[in-house]
Every structure is written in C-alpha cells, then in structure tokens.
Amino acid sequence: MTGPLGPVYRSIDALVAHAQAHLGLDADDAVWARNQVFALYGLDSYGADDADADVAPAGAPGDVDRLVGAFLDAAETAGLIGPGERGSRTDAVMGALSPRPSWVRRRFAETERADGGMAAMRWLYDTCVADTYVKRAQLEANPRFDSHGLTVTINLAKPEFRTQAKAAAGNSVSGGYPKCTICLENEGFAGRDKRTLRTVPVTLGGQEWFWQFSPYGYFDQHGICVNDEHTPMHVDRATFGRLLDFVDRFPGYFLGCNAALPRIGGSVLAHDHYQGGGEILPMAKASARTTLSVPGTPGATVEILDWPGTALRVVSPQREAIVDVCDAIRVAWESYDDPAAGIASHDADGNRQSAVSPTVIRTSRGYEMGLILRNNAVSDDCPEGVFHAHPEYWPIKQEPIGLIEAQGLFILPGRLVGELGRIEDALAQGAGLPEDMGEFRLVWDELTDALDGVRDRDAISAAVRDELGSVCRRILGNTAVFKDGGQTLSFLEGLGFAVA
Ligand SMILES: [Zn+2]
C-alpha cells in the first residue's frame, strides 16, 4: 500500500506491537485488535505491503506518546480525523487496544501475591502510562523546583479554577451518569474520554473502595482512592483506620484526605475520596518543633511541626494509638473557638467550619499521621477565607489550598509561564513592570529589591524561583490557624498531652 493510508496502517501496527508488549495483548488477539481499530475509521485496504513494513520493536511504556502521535499525524494527513480531535481519538484508539478491567485486576492481584503491593502499584502505573490514561509526558514537561523548603510546580495541563464555584462546576457532570467525575462508572466511559481508565479494588475499614491513577498527576504515581458508593466527603474516626489500612497494604505510598469543607482544595466534595501516591511530600520531612507525650498511651507522641501551616504529627507503631490520639485531636479542633484569634468553629448560621486534613506514611518509627488544622472563617477583609491565600498573592495562586499544597507541593497555574516570562524580560531590559500586569506589583517590587539592578538572565530566573517559593510559603502561613507554636502548644496541652 503506497497511498496515504500506508503510514496509517504502519502506525496502527506499531500500536498493536506496543499493546502486546505493555498492555497484555495476547498474540492470538493481535489481528482482532487491529481490526477493532480499523473499524473506528472504516479501514479495509490493509495489504501485504503494510504487514511487511518494519515495525520497530516496542520500547518503554511511555513511548506510547510517540506512537500515538505518529498515528494521529498519519490519520490527519489521510483526512481520517480533523484538527482538534486528537485527544478524543487517542482515547478511542487506545481504548480499543487496552485490556479489560477484569484482566487488569487479576494481573494486579497476581503481582501483589508474588511481589507485594508496591510492585503491583508500579505495574499498574506503567500500564496506565502505556494506555495513555496517565499523561506522564505532560507531568515531566511541567516546570518544577525546590525553594524555601517547598516544592513548586507549574502545571501546564490543568485548567485553573480561580474560585470555588468554578472548581465545583468543573467537577460536576451534566446528565447524571456517571454521577460525578470520580464515580466508578467512569471506567471505560466514552462520554468523558475515559475508555482507558482502569481501577483496582481496595478494602478500607471493611468498605469497598477503589484506586485509580490521576491522568494529570501532580507528582510520581499520584492517584486517588474512591468509595465505590457516591457518598459525600467526610472525616471521622473511621477515616484514620481506612488510611492506615491503605498504607498497611502499600507501605511506600502516602494517603491523605482533604478537610471536608468547601474552599479547602478543589476537591469533589460530593464523593468521598482520598489522595495519595509515590512521593514523600515536604511536610512529611519537616522537623518537630515540640514533642509531646500522650498520658496513658506509651510509645505514642504528638509533634508540633516546624511548618508554616498549623500541622501536627502523631507517631506510633500501634494502629489503635494512632486512631485514638488523632480522633481526640480532630474532635477537639472541630469545636475549638478562640474569638481573639479569629477562630470560630461554626459560622453565624451554625455551620461547621473547622476540620482536619489527615495524611499518613509509614516509616521506621511506625505510622506517622500528619494532621493539618483548617478553618473556613471569612471576614470583610478576606471574603474567600481568613485562613486561605490572601488577595495579595492571588496573581500567583488563587485556587484553594488543598491537601497536596498544604503538605508543601504547590501546583501553580500554567498562565504563570507566560506572565513570569514577561516579567523576566522586563527585568533583563531594565524596563518597568508592564502596564497591564499591575496585579504583580508586590512580586515585582520584591524582585527588583532582590536583584538590585542585576540584569543577568540566570540571576533573574533564580530570583523568580526564590520569589515563588517565598510567596508559596507565605500562603501556607496564611492558612495557619495558630500563628505561633505557643498557641498550638496550649491547644494540645488542653487535651492533656504533655511536653516530653
Ligand atoms: Zn461520584
């Protein structure tokens, strides 16, 4: 076949070879699978020349981006797809070449039995990269650096939701099926381009939940654990046990839960879920400013973390101790009031506005459960929240600060690449702040102070990274409900804990 369809057929052959190498496609199913893809485009002229064409041996799971790209280019040239259809066509073609959920779950269970939970997760992640559900190349393209004890990333793929109303709208689904974007019924659902989504079951606290990797993850092996039932988010005593169940089975991951309040994380509040994955976030490495013992619970400690937000760490090798101590802190915080500090556990209408965000890892000390205290009070000066990012920082980050950012991994909006680029250009030229960028005045003034006339490009870039880390750290400081360690200590001593 020498016509325009030749490259299309060869690119499909390469994808079929990729599916055999990385997606469990049986050799006996290869012709059948190829025909499934042909059916999507009414292709019926595959000939001997096409079959004889060299198909490069399959490479790594992530090579799928190059292979799919070659297919889309060829299909566009041949007029099979129009411009603007690449995303949905990728999902359609890879959906036809991806294994059924039952096979994924069997293989996951076999890998876990043979090599443990972490090896099974690694295998599942590679599979989800290979079927294009996880956009690994986009994750790797995001700028990322460490600054001021935090990790800062700029997410080029994620749309920015500058208000909670927009975040909620982005997570809702019209039509009622599936009920929301994270419901189990999304597995294979073409209506949201989720033909390649694959999940595995996990049992948490005796309930049926499932795990899935996030398509636009913020870090390595980022995923969510979701209740099989579409039931609202909540944090209670049982939450701690569920988180422990997960890290018992997958000890190299962290798992945490956003405070179940609006404006705290851009999360889907309508459906109970946790977030976790394969990176230990900066807060987990924070040192203890003060350590307290727990009367009656030997071996358990509570640490006040050296951290800009208000964060505690409950440490014990014993599950029961973790659950008891964490729940005591949760219950106390949810009804804690301190008018002088602006902390009101309930608003004027009696709605709860205090909550904890728990997050757990396993270490040589046992379980380490981080507890981030959050409060949703508003004031005239801070209508979006007193303990949220304050308006002067909104040009950098206006979205709610959720579980991942509260732990020190910031996800900044992609627009900043262009905006900061213009600021860097102006600094290098010795010009002023561009007229249409007035909202960046604070950042600009701090940068010109720091640079003191230096116009070297590398120095400017370093100063911008430093400024971003500094702003993110101040935003975490905004979210702190106790502005100094003494207040945190008084709160904990009120619970009967004693400085060790
Ligand atoms: Zn749902």
Side-chain angles (χ1 to χ4, degrees), residues 180 183 230 271:
C180 78
C183 273
H230 180 85
H271 194 150

Side-chain angles (χ1 to χ4, degrees), residues 378-395:
V378 296
S379 70
D380 291 341
D381 289 344
C382 299
E384 294 281 330
V386 175
F387 303 106
H388 293 62
H390 287 185
E392 64 266 32
Y393 304 128
W394 287 356

Side-chain angles (χ1 to χ4, degrees), residues 137-144 153-158 217-218:
Q138 301 214 23
L139 172 64
E140 282 164 4
N142 290 333
R144 177 185 164 119
T153 71
I154 297 181
N155 195 299
L156 304 173
K158 179 177 163 288
Y218 300 157

Side-chain angles (χ1 to χ4, degrees), residues 179-184 226 229-231 268 270-271:
K179 287 197 184 83
C180 78
T181 54
I182 61 172
C183 273
L184 183 58
V226 188
E229 280 185 47
H230 180 85
T231 183
V268 181
H271 194 150

